[in-house]
Amino acid sequence: MADVRRRRGFPASANDKELAAPAASPPTPRYTATLIFGSLCLAAYIALFARHARDLDAELCRSIAISFCMSVGAFFAVIRLVPVVARYVLKRNMFGYDINKKGSPAGSIQVPESLGIVTGFVFVVVTILFQIFCFSPDSAWLLEYNAALTSILFMILLGFVDDVLDIPWRVKLLLPSFAALPLLMAYAGHTTIVIPKPLRAYLEVEVLDLGVLYKVYMGLLAVFCTNAVNILAGVNGLEVGQTLVISSAILIHNMMQIVSSSDADYQQAHAFSIYLTQPLVGASLGLLCYNWYPSSVFVGDTYTYFAGMTMAVAGILGHFSETLLLFFLPQIINFVYSIPQLFKWVPCPRHRLPSFEPKTGLLTGSKDMNLVNLFLRWFGRCTERQLCIRLLIFQGLCSGFCFLLRFLMAGWYK
Amino acid sequence: YNAAPTSILFMILLGFVDDVLDVPWRVKLLLPSFAALPLLMAYAGHTTIVIPKPLRAYLEMEVLDLGVLYKVYMGLLAVFCTNAVNILAGVNGLDVGQTLVISSAILIHNMMQIVSSSDADYQQAHAFSIYLTQLLVGASLGLLCYNWYPSSVFVGDTYTYFAGMTMAVAGILGHFSETLLLFFLAQIINFVYSIPQLFKWVPCPRHRLPSFEPKTGLLTGSKDMNLVNLFLRWFGRCTEQQLCIRLLIFQGLCSGFCFLLRFLMAGWYK
């Protein structure tokens, strides 16, 4: 869980001014690391877009470009707003201590929590404003767009309420289903799945109409995505980093599909996903400036729920949910590997984190069954920054592997 | 219509964030405008206003198309409604109570309009308002169970923003925003009366509340310029429960007055 890596302070009432945190230094942005990382993630996508821009329908190209510019705006807006909101958050004692630095001076700094609210808010505003440029009031897409916004907004609200009130996990599992409801109502696409060629002989059908079951699948996908990002966490910059890698993969996939297709509806579906994912990337990059190692702010469940939901929404309304699941491969691996502890078959401590040695500054893997500790055990001790980079490289490699898989299976698979 | 939950959800989020982080008031004024945007984008109705008959001679037109200005008006209406409920507050049960009175007036108005009309679209618009407002009433009544005097819970800005936005959305998408403003008469009076203090022409303390005497259990009106204190000054000291009831009766009377006004002006007005 995103909250396992720190001890938490609690929100104070307005009268508790005497208990207010001592003045902490303002969050410092790490532009270099973020820009390098952002460029790595987005290079392929931007290259694809630039190369094929002329082949695209002019209207579509214009919309994507406008969305891109607004996402850059989102980046700057988040950079501007995070220090401001961090002050307010600290005033209300919503902070945590970085457990992965416990014992060193950095371990006693009060790090403001839940700054995902800034990313979420900027994302929503940019996404709402984008409507002005691209949709007329009677467009059918407006319905799906608003449903997407409603679901994402609901998730941001639930994430922030969880950060403030600390909701029990059983309720947490149920809530994304509610947030996904507007989405399920608005989904007007096919509910059929194409049976992979190898299985056609056994099942004797080419296409299977799941009907209502497809909507159940979509609901579960939303629940999965929101929680999946949440449990592959605990290392500075990991939540935002993994979101950025997956989002870049989504964007590349969308662009490839748009370019290789001539069906206007199909293109529109993938463009829709682009309109949602670009602002997610922009706003998240802004947050990463402050969240990259060493983190000046923590993102909170607000961010992980928001990001997971946005990607799920993009996948569902863009009609590529199976591919989306492929991009979530590390999260799936992490989840499956964690099952024995999550279901308490094996003892599960409160925090399933590595141990930190202040003298060397290195993390050592504990026996806990998650990807973070696995990497430490397999690849040896390392600093937190190296660990994050290794995990993100793994995420990138998985995405590359997924593209390869699609390419290889394309002729054979469907 | 899918824009309605988007706007309302956004407002709930902003209200809760405000309750947690204590957002400065300048930002608070701007935020409902953002929350209202999905609504403005989705609004596909007429942007004309009907000129009241008495003014037609002067203006030489029957119907005025405000176009974009109408959307600005709608945006301002959302900002106003969300904040109006917020400032007529400070007494146990008042925030929820006033919302319930206004919502009931909205429901009566919707039903009257549905019954007296034969245009399906028109009926659909008012029905939509009913769908939103009934839910608001149900949920608010539940909250009132705990918030009525003496309050076991406080509702927070989360509630006042949410309630104000929901009523604004109902009024805008139900195409009866002018009538909605009439129902907000008590809030308008309170707002106008508060202006000198809100704009700091007159000293404005942090809380513009009456003073409480523990011995008698009575509230005494302070010099502050809002409806709560005005009632205490005009009608004498009373308990908090009595004060709340008096203010809600006033809200109800205002709504009744609005219905009367519409009835009287119907032939003469439009």
Side-chain angles (χ1 to χ4, degrees):
Chain A
M1 303 290 168
D3 65 352
V4 299
R5 63 141 160 246
R6 74 250 172 210
R7 284 184 288 126
R8 192 196 293 224
F10 293 100
S13 69
N15 296 323
D16 274 62
K17 294 239 166 39
E18 319 87 58
L19 299 177
S25 54
T28 40
R30 301 177 199 294
Y31 294 119
T32 328
T34 308
L35 287 174
I36 293 175
F37 181 64
S39 313
L40 278 173
C41 288
L42 293 174
Y45 169 66
I46 295 179
L48 255 181
F49 184 36
R51 191 160 155 260
H52 291 280
R54 258 167 281 119
D55 303 329
L56 295 174
D57 170 51
E59 181 84 28
L60 188 63
C61 186
R62 188 178 142 264
S63 300
I64 295 178
I66 291 179
S67 167
F68 186 83
C69 293
M70 293 181 79
S71 306
V72 172
F75 171 71
F76 287 110
V78 170
I79 289 194
R80 189 78 180 70
L81 285 174
V82 163
V84 173
V85 175
R87 275 205 311 272
Y88 281 92
V89 161
L90 276 178
K91 253 193 270 181
R92 305 296 286 221
N93 279 6
M94 284 172 64
F95 59 84
Y97 297 105
D98 200 333
I99 292 188
N100 277 341
K101 299 178 181 58
K102 197 169 164 194
S104 71
S108 49
I109 298 178
Q110 290 172 332
V111 184
E113 264 288 1
S114 308
L115 267 300
I117 188 74
V118 178
T119 314
F121 173 74
V122 169
F123 172 86
V124 168
V125 171
V126 164
T127 314
I128 292 177
L129 290 177
F130 178 68
Q131 283 179 84
I132 301 177
F133 296 105
C134 296
F135 296 121
S136 54
D138 56 356
S139 164
W141 281 104
L142 199 66
L143 176 71
E144 294 207 358
Y145 200 71
N146 271 311
L149 266 176
T150 310
S151 290
I152 295 172
L153 257 172
F154 203 170
M155 213 59 226
I156 299 176
L157 176 68
L158 295 177
F160 191 65
V161 170
D162 177 38
D163 272 340
V164 172
L165 301 181
D166 214 1
I167 301 176
W169 70 267
R170 282 173 219 273
V171 180
K172 277 209 261 205
L173 280 185
L174 193 60
L175 291 178
S177 323
F178 286 110
L181 274 176
L183 203 61
L184 302 188
M185 299 301 300
Y187 184 73
H190 62 96
T191 53
T192 57
I193 57 172
V194 177
I195 306 289
K197 283 194 188 134
L199 296 175
R200 276 180 203 171
Y202 297 102
L203 293 169
E204 286 167 28
V205 295
E206 235 189 59
V207 155
L208 179 63
D209 189 347
L210 291 176
V212 168
L213 275 184
Y214 197 82
K215 297 214 167 182
V216 173
Y217 155 69
M218 286 181 353
L220 292 173
L221 182 72
V223 175
F224 174 74
C225 289
T226 48
N227 287 293
V229 177
N230 211 3
I231 62 173
L232 181 58
V235 176
N236 284 177
L238 184 57
E239 301 93 353
V240 188
Q242 70 189 274
T243 302
L244 285 167
V245 176
I246 301 177
S247 301
S248 311
I250 290 176
L251 287 173
I252 293 171
H253 175 69
N254 289 145
M255 188 51 73
M256 276 167 55
Q257 295 298 99
I258 289 181
V259 162
S260 68
S261 157
S262 48
D263 180 350
D265 275 341
Y266 191 74
Q267 289 188 333
Q268 193 63 273
H270 281 277
F272 190 84
S273 162
I274 289 183
Y275 301 150
L276 287 178
T277 315
Q278 282 184 152
L280 174 64
V281 169
S284 301
L285 269 175
L287 188 58
L288 190 64
C289 279
Y290 295 97
N291 185 244
W292 185 253
Y293 179 90
S295 293
S296 315
V297 302
F298 287 148
V299 300
D301 284 351
T302 314
Y303 178 79
T304 59
Y305 279 2
F306 151 68
M309 192 55 151
T310 306
M311 293 188 282
V313 168
I316 289 172
L317 291 180
H319 303 322
F320 62 94
S321 51
E322 300 90 10
T323 314
L324 181 73
L325 268 179
L326 279 181
F327 293 143
F328 269 72
L329 193 55
Q331 281 72 17
I332 295 175
I333 294 174
N334 182 52
F335 170 66
V336 168
Y337 185 39
S338 302
I339 282 179
Q341 281 192 307
L342 292 179
F343 287 126
K344 311 272 167 93
W345 303 333
V346 167
C348 181
R350 174 85 181 86
H351 300 294
R352 302 189 297 143
L353 285 177
S355 28
F356 176 67
E357 223 176 290
K359 271 185 269 179
T360 52
L362 297 179
L363 289 169
T364 317
S366 66
K367 289 202 203 107
D368 288 308
M369 300 166 80
N370 59 17
L371 218 55
V372 172
N373 287 301
L374 191 71
F375 263 56
L376 283 169
R377 295 201 300 268
W378 280 2
F379 301 119
R381 304 159 62 192
C382 60
T383 67
E384 195 175 355
R385 189 205 303 235
Q386 287 169 334
L387 179 62
C388 188
I389 293 177
R390 286 178 192 177
L391 285 162
L392 292 177
I393 289 176
F394 177 63
Q395 183 92 48
L397 287 175
C398 283
S399 300
F401 171 69
C402 298
F403 280 116
L404 191 67
L405 206 70
R406 270 189 70 93
F407 175 71
L408 289 176
M409 304 252 262
W412 178 66
Y413 189 76
K414 291 195 177 185
Chain B
Y1 291 137
N2 227 61
T6 313
S7 289
I8 296 174
L9 254 175
F10 202 174
M11 211 60 227
I12 299 176
L13 176 68
L14 294 176
F16 189 68
V17 170
D18 179 35
D19 272 338
V20 173
L21 298 184
D22 214 1
V23 172
W25 71 267
R26 281 173 219 274
V27 181
K28 277 208 261 202
L29 281 185
L30 193 60
L31 292 178
S33 324
F34 286 110
L37 273 176
L39 205 61
L40 302 188
M41 294 303 301
Y43 185 73
H46 62 95
T47 54
T48 58
I49 55 171
V50 177
I51 306 288
K53 283 194 187 134
L55 296 173
R56 278 183 200 170
Y58 299 102
L59 292 169
E60 286 167 27
M61 56 178 78
E62 240 189 57
V63 154
L64 178 64
D65 188 349
L66 291 176
V68 168
L69 274 186
Y70 197 82
K71 296 211 166 183
V72 173
Y73 154 70
M74 287 182 353
L76 292 174
L77 182 71
V79 175
F80 174 74
C81 289
T82 48
N83 287 293
V85 178
N86 208 4
I87 62 173
L88 180 59
V91 177
N92 284 177
L94 184 57
D95 329 81
V96 188
Q98 70 189 274
T99 302
L100 286 168
V101 175
I102 301 177
S103 301
S104 312
I106 290 176
L107 287 173
I108 294 172
H109 175 68
N110 289 146
M111 190 51 77
M112 277 168 54
Q113 295 298 100
I114 289 181
V115 161
S116 69
S117 158
S118 47
D119 179 348
D121 277 341
Y122 192 74
Q123 290 187 332
Q124 190 65 283
H126 281 276
F128 184 72
S129 166
I130 289 183
Y131 304 149
L132 286 179
T133 315
Q134 284 184 150
L135 286 171
L136 175 63
V137 168
S140 301
L141 271 174
L143 187 58
L144 191 64
C145 280
Y146 295 98
N147 186 244
W148 185 252
Y149 180 89
S151 295
S152 317
V153 300
F154 288 151
V155 300
D157 283 351
T158 314
Y159 178 79
T160 59
Y161 278 3
F162 150 68
M165 192 54 154
T166 306
M167 293 188 283
V169 168
I172 289 172
L173 291 179
H175 302 319
F176 62 93
S177 52
E178 300 91 8
T179 313
L180 181 72
L181 267 180
L182 279 181
F183 293 144
F184 270 72
L185 188 57
Q187 281 69 19
I188 294 176
I189 293 174
N190 182 52
F191 171 66
V192 168
Y193 185 39
S194 302
I195 282 180
Q197 281 193 309
L198 292 179
F199 288 127
K200 311 272 169 95
W201 303 334
V202 167
C204 182
R206 173 85 181 86
H207 297 293
R208 303 188 295 142
L209 286 176
S211 28
F212 175 67
E213 225 177 291
K215 271 186 269 180
T216 52
L218 297 179
L219 289 169
T220 317
S222 67
K223 291 204 202 103
D224 288 308
M225 300 167 77
N226 59 17
L227 218 54
V228 172
N229 288 300
L230 191 70
F231 264 53
L232 285 169
R233 296 201 300 268
W234 280 4
F235 301 118
R237 303 159 63 192
C238 61
T239 66
E240 196 174 355
Q241 180 161 0
Q242 287 169 333
L243 179 61
C244 188
I245 293 175
R246 286 179 191 177
L247 286 162
L248 291 178
I249 289 176
F250 177 64
Q251 184 92 53
L253 288 175
C254 282
S255 300
F257 171 69
C258 299
F259 279 116
L260 191 68
L261 208 69
R262 272 188 70 93
F263 175 70
L264 289 176
M265 304 252 263
W268 178 64
Y269 190 76
K270 291 195 180 187

